[in-house]
Amino acid sequence: MSLSGSEGGHEDGNRADLEDSSSCGKKDPPSCSVSGLQILQSKMKWHHLENAINELWNAFAGLLCHQSMVLAINSSFVDPVLQYETQLNVTETSFRMLLALPNFGKLRALGIGNEDLEDQESLYQNILHIFEDTLLILVSKDLYKLQILREMVLWVKEERLYLQEAALTIISRVLCFASKKVLGDTSVDAPCLGVLAAELSLLCCHAENDIVNQASIGLHHLLCIAKWQNGHGNVGNTLLPSLLTDFVWTLLMKLSEASFEIASEAASILKLTLQYHSQKVIMVSKIVNFIYKKLCEDPSHSMKHSMLRVTTLLTRTSPKKVIFQLMDYPVPADDTLILMWQAAGSEGSVAPLVLKTILLILKGKPGETEEDMEEKRRFSLDATNMMPVAASQALCTFLPVGSYKKAVAQFFPHLLLALMLQLFYSSQLRVMPQDRPLYARDALRALLNSSGLQEVDAALKKKNCWNQFSQALYHQLGVHLIAKTLSEFNFPQFPETLHYFYKISVEGPRRSEDNIVTIIFFTELLNNFFKDPFPEEFMVLYKNWINDSNPVVSKLSLQKVANMAPVINEIENVCSLLTSILEAFHSKEHTVVIRALLTLRKLLCKLDRVIYSSLCTKIASSYCPLMDHSNGGIRSMAIRHFGELLKDMSQYTWMLNPLALGALVPLILFLEDKEIRVSKACKYTLRICASQLRWPTPVFLKDENYNFELVVLNICNQLVASHESYITDLISDTLGFLGSSRPYLRRGSVILVGYLAKLGAYLLLKDEIEVMLEVIEKTVRDEDPVIRELAKKTRDIFREIAHTMTSSTIKQTFRRWFKFIYTRKSKPLYNWPKDYTHTPVDPTKGNKEGFVEEQEEEEEEILIQSYRCEAILEQAAEDESDFPSL
């Protein structure tokens, strides 16, 4: 370039012009003023040209310097992130230099001819080439640097129109180079393609044809890169999901542009893209959330319809993501959210998937925190999960939609149960204000009306069912009324509803409390369409529910089973059912145990006697632990029902006598229970036991003659006379009550064990006596003074027994043999209580004194006989070999 020559030529020309102007001025003054203006204009023109030349050279030098810096950084081992940021800053500075270059159009407007600008324009083109070469060098080393082009598009839009074409030309050339380069690469890392594609797509709608052409060329090369990046995939699916998401996101941002023209163009491209490729878009929740916030900020947004259309198109391919996001906003829903629900609901093709997603959300419990959840999985980021409430409100929008009719019919049972459960949860919810609408109730009504059950809804309204659901205690009755009313109108969805509820019952609920709703609704359906007893497959459910972890479920099941008493003998596997009821005796909930006792008694009254006899031992054994229950009502029922069982099966003496004898200890001790109902139950059952064991009924069990010690004495005498083999076991059972926390049990145990030991001493071994005495010694230190005094007397009895007990096996055996022959009755040992309320009457003597005298006479006779035996024992001890002859 001969820039110096050109400058010199211009200077010569200037001088010639000046000389002509001066000579002209001397000859013709008027023309001199015109010539002066021309001279000034010429000076200004060439001054602008000189400035343009200087700017060009400065830019040329600056870009060369920047190119060197970029190359130096490109070859270094600088951190990639820092490297990119530095190169981006240098490139932006270079680009700003381009923007500062002279506008040749303006220079031409000043009158500078093309022959004068030829060298300058050549220099200008060289500058652009340097900038382009710099970009090519960066991209050739790393396609990731294509991100600089993304930034460059934004810079271009901010500046003058005349430079946009040149900049876009550079961008398209760089993209062309990159599209060729990727052909030899095994992998392509260019995450900016989505955003860049969106920007170029908008420029394709520019008013200037030259810009449109360059943007189109650039977009073509960009898609070629994306096609290779996508593994040579289908051209219609060129962009990877992440890139397509960037593309969509960028266009979504453009909807809020101040320029309505740009926003409209973005909306058109966005709609077209999502119609065919929305399934590839990721970060759907983020997009939906962005739309919601934008519409909340500006409810009258110019692109409101386009944003709602985006929601619809995303719902078509990603219903689960869209619905989850739309349910994670505060309740009650605002107008913007309802609009977005309507937009999502307008896509009827995915109605089943939308309802499935809502049903999944409805499995949650409103107000439930992560710590409360069995599964550590959350739907919402809030501290408390209120998404189910939002889902219930959303159903009020979705269910009436005409295109949802088929899907609603498909999921009717699922929605019915889910909404009844939500009503149950809402009634227990504390974080919701009392005046807040019950959206689950409203959704339930919408379900009925959209399912052709308007008459059911009207009937429930007439029964005032809907209004009372806000009351926490009404819910169970409300569920019962819904099931009953549906049955009354013979709702056509009965088969699938019954099947679904049965399936849920078999699989087990998400929460135990869910069974409350299930069993109430299920039972009412069965009551209206089946006769008792239910088919076996349904009875199995009730058997399982009897021992449900939720006490309400257990009681509901037991109540239904009790109602089947008249047909108990028609039930298959009735033994299994009764066994389940016996297992309910172990429940920690007192009301469950009481309900189980009542149910069992009701069934036993109607049960076939052959089946009854096969279970009576097991049933009786189950009553015994309950006789010592902490709840007085359960104690009295267990004791009384035990007596009823003995009465029912009185003909099976051989089977029940051991059970009656085994239950004697609690029956005797709880005579002193502080609750009158327990004491009366003991008296009632003891009279039955006496009859079963063929003992005379003790007159002392009557209220007017009652005396605890004489009852104990009478029973012990009968035991020694007829069932002495049980005495050792009864002593063991009695000692177990000495550790009771209830004083009357410890007191009664001390007295009972004393009599049993006194009368059955000849049955006890020395080792047994020592163990028993050790236990009694602890009771001597009881905190209750009365118990301490009684325990001392009992201790003396055991010491006396231990003292008289011989160590010789022969003597001990002979003593037992002798006692067996000479059984004697004992007399009162404790005289407790000392002040008798009533004077007991002996059935033979009529008074206490006569009873004692008779006992003393018998003891004298026995004492004489014992002296004789002692002599025989002494003789036998001298020669043990003579013992067999005795």
Side-chain angles (χ1 to χ4, degrees), residues 81-105:
V81 177
L82 180 60
Q83 182 188 89
Y84 170 76
E85 291 178 352
T86 304
Q87 290 173 337
L88 178 62
N89 292 333
V90 173
T91 304
E92 184 177 6
T93 303
S94 299
F95 186 78
R96 301 299 178 191
M97 288 183 177
L98 295 181
L99 297 177
L101 292 178
N103 187 331
F104 287 91

Side-chain angles (χ1 to χ4, degrees), residues 423-439:
L423 267 175
F424 177 56
Y425 300 149
S426 298
S427 67
Q428 298 177 320
L429 199 58
R430 295 290 176 267
V431 297
M432 291 179 64
Q434 292 297 319
D435 57 348
R436 174 168 290 179
L438 281 176
Y439 296 117

Side-chain angles (χ1 to χ4, degrees), residues 412-413 416-417 420 444 448 456 460 475-476 478-487 491 493-494 496-502 505 514-529 542 545 556:
F412 176 83
L416 180 64
L417 177 58
M420 287 193 296
L444 192 54
L448 294 175
V456 176
L460 289 169
H475 183 263
Q476 293 186 23
V479 172
H480 170 81
L481 274 178
I482 292 173
K484 185 176 181 62
T485 308
L486 283 169
S487 302
F491 70 116
Q493 298 89 347
F494 169 73
E496 55 265 38
T497 302
L498 181 66
H499 178 269
Y500 177 70
F501 272 76
Y502 175 74
S505 302
D514 295 358
N515 260 338
I516 298 174
V517 174
T518 305
I519 190 174
I520 293 174
F521 192 91
F522 190 60
T523 301
E524 187 57 33
L525 286 186
L526 294 177
N527 285 339
N528 284 278
F529 292 95
Y542 286 92
W545 279 329
L556 288 170

Side-chain angles (χ1 to χ4, degrees), residues 238-251:
T238 301
L239 292 177
L240 289 172
S242 59
L243 301 180
L244 185 64
T245 302
D246 291 341
F247 179 83
V248 170
W249 182 258
T250 303
L251 292 174

